[in-house]
Structure formats: structure tokens, C-alpha cells
Amino acid sequence: MSVIESPPADIVQYIPEDAPFSEEQRAWLNGFFAGLLSSLPAAPTLPSLPAAADPTFRDPMADGGDDGAPWHDPALSLAERMAMAENRPLRRRMMAAMAQQDCGQCGYTCETYADEIAQHAEERLNLCVPGGKETARMLKKLIEEMGGGATDPDEEKAKSEAKAAARLEPKMTAERGYSRELPVEARFLSRTRLNKGESEKSTWHIEFDLAGSGLRYTVGDSFGVYPVNDPALVAAVIEAINAPPDFPIAGRILADVLTHDMSLGAAPDMLFELISYMVGGERKATARALAQGEDPDGDAATLDVLAAVQKFPGIRPDPEAFVECLEGLQPRLYSISSSPRVDPDRLTLTVDHVRYEIAGRTRLGVASTFLSSAAAPGATLKVYAQRAHNFALPADPTTPIVMVGPGTGVAPFRAFLQERMITRAPGDAWLFFGHQRRACDFFYEQEFDGLKDSGTLTRLSLAWSRDKDTPKTYVQDRMRAEAADLWAWLQRGAHFYVCGDARRMAVDVEKTMVAIAATCGHMSEADATTFVADLKKTGRYQTDVY
């Protein structure tokens, strides 16, 4: 009997030792496979593993050392944010996909919304209202890295348990009236137009009665309102799909479901997917491209639900299938413009009626239209209070405050000033307000004059961008003109607040602050940028932007 020696340790073993072969058979098979494989051409270099398979990022909740999330800036584009978050753990890239406003409309902050998705506790990817379809598509792409449709039974069971556990927690801890998931009812009282004369704008002072709702709020909080769609838009959509308004859907009728439950804004990808099955030829290719986020005709950004259906005339989708392709109608958040110290049962908002023309059709903001024209005085609406996220008056009432709030951005600062008046806070207060025309668009002028007379409002700086015979002036221009005094206030420890447009105004205001720090503080641009960043880190530069 021949003796088979064990192969050298550096020889690759293709047949495991516990395989049902004798030593002699195993040795022969190892040799056979070694010779066979050596005769094959070299294997091509494999592409790098996707992040989800890379051991470095296997844990989607890993911290990743991201230097304080540099992408957390609403002025950055999605592409810029995702580039900054490249090679970060999954949850951080999900955070970068958000609009970075921390507005609370999703029910979370940008960071916690991303964390919930990464932990399988939140499966809705369309809650980021300011991010819209762009954010939802990126989140969907990132979800695929987690094996979105995993079929492994153990993994699926673990995901289900994680979802169940996570969903139990908010239900046990959330208080009714303080979450979009648990709204209460409040009574709509009145609307008063704030613009005068020939103003091009339509801005409204809205009042609610909170009596009996159980809601309590503080200055700096926001107010969530569940709107309903414009009846004329609902009727146009029903006509476009050639369906009867009373078509039954889950015990209700089509018109009612579209009015109260479904978003008729930006057309979702699923709607184009449905349409692609109903048309042929070039129209099918167009619908499929739109479903994939492409823009074959250069009009994708203009396609709300009605325009999407009208783009493919002649289609007649089943109404129930059509509704299932739409997204839910989401609540809208507004900065509260009153202090509960004036009246704890009265809450006010300052709402700009959104209107714009696209392709010969007037588009209307769903919530602003509802509040400025459709809601009937005395009607009860579904509402909730959204607690402020790092936007509040200083704890020390002697601390000076500087507030920059053009247009409806003045809302929370009206509340701040009411609070300081009622509490007799001795700290100085400086408001920068601006709009188009002083004669038409000076919101709350008499109130602010009274606050100045009482000493509550120490200084009021105004900027008008459309007044005749005067240079076009914005709030950041007023800041530059009064830079020395503004710098002196900051040196006294003033807290600086900004409310309003995130993409333009807030960016320009921050750039102006950096310039003022560089000039008045005799700093380099890098040091001035660090100075402003430090103000933010210490809570002395706070924003409520949208």
C-alpha cells in the first residue's frame, strides 16, 4: 500500500479535509484542480465592492468621523453634499441626502430621519418636503445598498423586529399634538391681509383658537397644519383621467380621497411608471425615462400630477391604481408669530400665498391657498406644534439679540419681541426687516412702532427692494451699512438670528457676517469664517430657514 504524504502547507487545498474521500483521492483531486485552474487565463480584476459590502461600512450606523457633518448646509446642492459624504457610513450619506434645513416637517431632524431609515425603523422615503423628489430618489438609491429587498429569512425577520420595536417607541413617548403622527384639532379663527395698496404680494396674518386642543407652545416653535387640496385642481385631475368623481375607493369616493389625502404636487415616479404601461412607442420611452428621474423633454421640473397626466392625453388609468401611485398629502410647517404669554389659547402665523405661472397655468401652494382663502372661520383643522430645534431666545433676558427676518421671516421675531415685552426683558433687541415696498409691504408696522416706543425694540433697520427712486436694498445691505454697530453688539455677547429663505437670503446674510467679522474684527477671511462657525457652535447664531 503506497503512502500519500500530506501536501506542503503552501499548496492550495481545493478539497476540504472533511470531504468523503480517502487521503489518496483527496490528494489526486487537489492536484487535478490545481492543474486545471492554472491553465485558465487570469481572472479579471474585480470592481471595488459597493459600500454596503465593504467591511469599513458594513455597519450603516457607524460614526465615520465626519468632522461635524460638513454637508449640513442648506445652501449646498445635493451633488455637493453627496460628494462631501462620499465614503462615509451609510447613515451619514443618508443624512447628506436630506435638504439640511432641520425644518421638522418630516417629524425628525435631518440626522435622526437618516438614522431611522438606516435602522429600518422608518420606511417612508418622501418625508423631506424641501428635498422633494431629489432627496427621495437618492434615499431609494442608498436603500439599495442595504439590500432593500433582502430575501434571507433571518435578515428579513430581524428587520421586521427592528421596525416593530422602533415604531412602538414613538407611540409610547410622543404626546398628542406634538407630532405629525398625532395631530389634534384647533379652530381656524380669521385671516387678515398684511399687504396694502398695489402690493404684488399676498401675505396673511392667520389666527387659531387653541382652546380645548391641549396644545401649549413656546416662542421659536413651529405650527403644523394639515391642508386640503384646491377643489378646482381636484376637479381638473379627475377630468384629465376621465374618471367619475364618485368612483368608490375603500369606502370613500375619488374626489374626497384626492382632496384630503393625496398630494397633487410634483408627479411621483410611480405615476410615470403606471403611465408607461398604458402608452406605446415614443410616449412609452418618455414615461419610462421620467420614471427613472430623467428629463427627456426638459420639462420634468414643471410636471405636477395634473401636468403629468395632460402630457399623455388619452390615458384612462383605473382610479384606484392611479391613487395608489400618488404620494400622501403632507402637513406644512409655519413659524409661529405670537407669544403664548399674550394669550395661551391664541396662536398666529404669517403666511405668504404661494402663486406662480408655469406653462400658462397658475400653480398654487396647497397649504398657503387653503389658509389664505379656503379655510372657513370657525372650522376645525388638524394641527400640531413642532418643538424648535436650536432656535430660542437666550436664557439670560439681559442678552442682546439681533434678528434678521425679511418678508414672512419676521414671524418668529414678532413672537420674540412679544415675549420680551411681556417678561420685561432688559436686553437690547435689533430687528432687520425688509420687503419690496415700504408703503405696501411693511408688516406689523404699527406694532413695531409701539415696541420701539416701549423700549422693547431698541433698533429697527429696514430694507426695500422695489421702492421708486431709491437703490434696491436687501437686509444684508443694511447689515453692511451698519457693520460697526453690529460688530459692537456681537462683542457685547449678542445672539444672532436669521429666518427665511435658505437658498439665497440666509446664504447672503452669512457671507455678510463673515465680511463684517473680517473688516471690523481685523481678521483674515479664514479666521472670520471660523468666528461665524464658532457662533453657531455656541448657540449664538441660530437659523429657522426654509
Side-chain angles (χ1 to χ4, degrees), residues 7 13 15 20 44 54 89 102 104 118 125 175 237 302 327 353 363 392 405 436 453 465 468 494 506 516 539 543 546:
Q13 302 296 299
I15 306 300
D54 187 331
D102 279 338
L125 306 183
E175 190 177 352
V237 169
T302 72
E327 295 180 344
H353 185 198
R363 309 289 178 94
Q436 291 189 347
D453 291 342
S465 63
K468 293 181 179 179
I516 290 172
T543 61
Y546 38 84

Side-chain angles (χ1 to χ4, degrees), residues 254-269:
L254 175 62
D256 182 58
V257 171
L258 291 180
T259 299
H260 294 94
D261 295 353
M262 311 315 299
S263 171
L264 300 180
D269 296 342

